[in-house]
Amino acid sequence: MPRILIAMSSLLIASWAAARDAIRVCDSNLVCAPYGRQGIIDFAKDYEQNPKDQTLYVFEHAFSFNVGSAAGCGTTCTSLRFQSSEMGVDKTFTGANTAEVSRAFQDYIKSEAFLKAFIRLINTGAGQVISGSPAATIGAMVRAGFQDTMFSNIKTAEEKSGAAPGRDPAISASYGQFKDSGYEGKVVSVSPGFSLDFGEHKDKKLKFTVPLSQIEVEGLKTYRAGVIVQYQHPFYLPSNITVTVGPGFSYSAMGSVDLPNFSGMAGGALSTTVNKDWKSLFATVGGYYGGFKNMGGIDTNIRADVFGWGAQTGYRFGKRLVAAVYGVGIQESVRGFNRTTYHTAGASLSYKIFNRFNVTASAQHLFGLSNRQFAEIGLGSAWFF
């Protein structure tokens, strides 16, 4: 099992293919150059200093700027034509001079009318930060809700035989790398939380998690913060079979100055797992449904139905060590986007120290999305009181 973790972790250490420029500018002679990491609003400010006919590409989505017959007008430009065929935008901004034209354009690209369509457009490709990506908000909420329920049976022999603690503070962190259509990105996440154990045998859990993430695609950064509340209720059947039902709710907000973007996503979900436990060996299968919608910030009118399925098997070594391998499938059906289906394979290794402290290391890799790769390693711990 440690060899599996090492092999999967090595995917994150290996060199990826050459990166691409997330933002680049091409002049009328089709001579192109990268435009740093400043974002589209800063580009508009720079354009005021040197207005000319050119095309701005953001993740290969083209936005053309045309000053008409007055090319080279410097500070005396009186009009600017801005076009995006993908967004259906063809607008001309006018003013007494270049500064007035630039301000009118900047006001427009900061407006909800532009940003709503812009965010949806960016989400159709490698710059997606809301849906359709394993590094995106919906994917993160699904993994937190579904996999957390499915993996709740990964317990050492010592944990399995001991009494439930009553409350469990916990924290986990992960680092992931992904590549989409040649663009490279990374995700750094930290998720503090705790659970309350109650019931006659303290085997029912109410879990609270606060996931915090920074997502970076070729230097363009998006920040995400949220809260997940989930209830886990076990039902015990003969032959050491346990059915766990886990309804939950999540809300996540994300913002980016580079793209730009600020929006929120709310979701409700239900996970169900069936676990068969032998003395050392255990196995789990599970199913998931989640519904998500845009709520707060810029109204992107995004709605999503997500279905999941998965299985895991594990083995307890002695009293304090347990290893598991798992596979999870997810299908995302997001209004206005193509339906996507992908699978994640992973492995984990948990060790309990002094009957009070649990450390878990994990690694996972994604399969099944065209032109997209994703690998992640994680480290989590929990304290038991």
Side-chain angles (χ1 to χ4, degrees):
M1 185 61 60
R3 292 182 179 179
I4 296 176
L5 287 173
I6 293 171
M8 297 188 68
S9 299
S10 67
L11 292 170
L12 301 177
I13 301 173
S15 297
W16 295 63
R20 300 174 64 183
D21 295 312
I23 301 179
R24 59 190 176 92
V25 178
C26 300
D27 62 21
S28 56
N29 295 318
L30 301 181
V31 177
C32 302
Y35 183 73
R37 304 290 183 258
Q38 294 90 339
I40 191 170
I41 290 180
D42 282 348
F43 174 81
K45 296 176 182 177
D46 292 346
Y47 186 78
E48 180 179 335
Q49 306 301 317
N50 185 25
K52 58 183 178 180
D53 294 351
Q54 55 188 339
T55 301
L56 175 71
Y57 290 90
V58 181
F59 293 108
E60 298 306 316
H61 301 292
F63 302 88
S64 66
F65 296 75
N66 192 320
V67 294
S69 59
C73 51
T75 61
T76 62
C77 296
T78 57
S79 70
L80 165 65
R81 186 181 183 186
F82 175 68
Q83 295 173 289
S84 169
S85 59
E86 293 178 290
M87 291 172 55
V89 173
D90 187 347
K91 296 181 70 70
T92 299
F93 303 90
T94 60
N97 51 49
T98 305
E100 286 190 10
V101 174
S102 178
R103 282 194 294 271
F105 173 68
Q106 290 179 46
D107 289 342
Y108 168 69
I109 63 175
K110 292 177 182 178
S111 69
E112 185 169 337
F114 171 79
L115 290 175
K116 179 176 179 179
F118 177 75
I119 292 173
R120 289 187 66 88
L121 175 63
I122 292 300
N123 273 270
T124 63
Q128 53 195 297
V129 292
I130 295 178
S131 60
S133 165
T137 298
I138 292 176
M141 297 301 103
V142 170
R143 284 185 293 165
F146 179 33
Q147 295 190 22
D148 188 57
T149 301
M150 197 171 78
F151 302 156
S152 62
N153 293 296
I154 300 181
K155 298 178 181 179
T156 65
E158 192 172 58
E159 289 175 297
K160 184 174 173 60
S161 61
R167 58 187 186 276
D168 314 332
I171 187 169
S172 63
S174 65
Y175 173 80
Q177 287 185 343
F178 61 93
K179 185 167 65 176
D180 190 325
S181 304
Y183 294 99
E184 296 181 12
K186 59 185 178 182
V187 184
V188 180
S189 301
V190 178
S191 299
F194 68 95
S195 66
L196 300 176
D197 305 331
F198 55 95
E200 181 180 355
H201 302 288
K202 293 197 177 295
D203 53 358
K204 303 175 182 64
K205 293 180 177 292
L206 184 62
K207 306 191 71 171
F208 300 86
T209 307
V210 182
L212 308 171
S213 300
Q214 176 185 283
I215 306 169
E216 184 175 332
V217 183
E218 300 295 357
L220 304 180
K221 296 178 181 178
T222 294
Y223 298 91
R224 184 172 62 217
V227 61
I228 302 170
V229 181
Q230 187 174 43
Y231 175 63
Q232 294 178 355
H233 190 114
F235 298 91
Y236 301 103
L237 304 179
S239 302
N240 287 329
I241 296 176
T242 303
V243 177
T244 302
V245 177
F249 171 81
S250 65
Y251 183 82
S252 186
M254 68 225 75
S256 172
V257 176
D258 297 326
L259 286 177
N261 168 36
F262 175 75
S263 59
M265 185 72 67
L270 178 65
S271 301
T272 303
T273 65
V274 180
N275 179 74
K276 169 67 174 176
D277 211 326
W278 294 271
K279 183 176 180 180
S280 297
L281 183 69
F282 60 90
T284 309
V285 295
Y288 173 92
Y289 168 75
F292 298 84
K293 63 177 295 185
N294 174 245
M295 182 178 292
I298 300 169
D299 182 10
T300 55
N301 194 33
I302 286 181
R303 304 288 187 274
D305 293 295
V306 182
F307 299 90
W309 53 93
Q312 72 167 346
T313 184
Y315 191 85
R316 301 182 180 95
F317 299 89
K319 291 184 177 181
R320 296 183 174 180
L321 183 66
V322 58
V325 293
Y326 54 86
V328 176
I330 297 294
Q331 183 180 86
E332 298 176 358
S333 180
V334 185
R335 181 187 302 176
F337 299 89
N338 294 329
R339 180 177 298 178
T340 58
T341 301
Y342 54 91
H343 295 80
T344 301
S348 67
L349 190 67
S350 298
Y351 185 77
K352 191 169 184 181
I353 304 172
F354 303 127
N355 201 31
R356 290 292 182 183
F357 184 71
N358 185 310
V359 178
T360 300
S362 63
Q364 60 183 20
H365 191 265
L366 178 136
F367 304 90
L369 289 180
S370 177
N371 298 320
R372 209 174 293 168
Q373 302 174 35
F374 183 75
E376 183 178 54
I377 56 174
L379 181 67
S381 64
W383 297 263
F384 306 103
F385 299 98

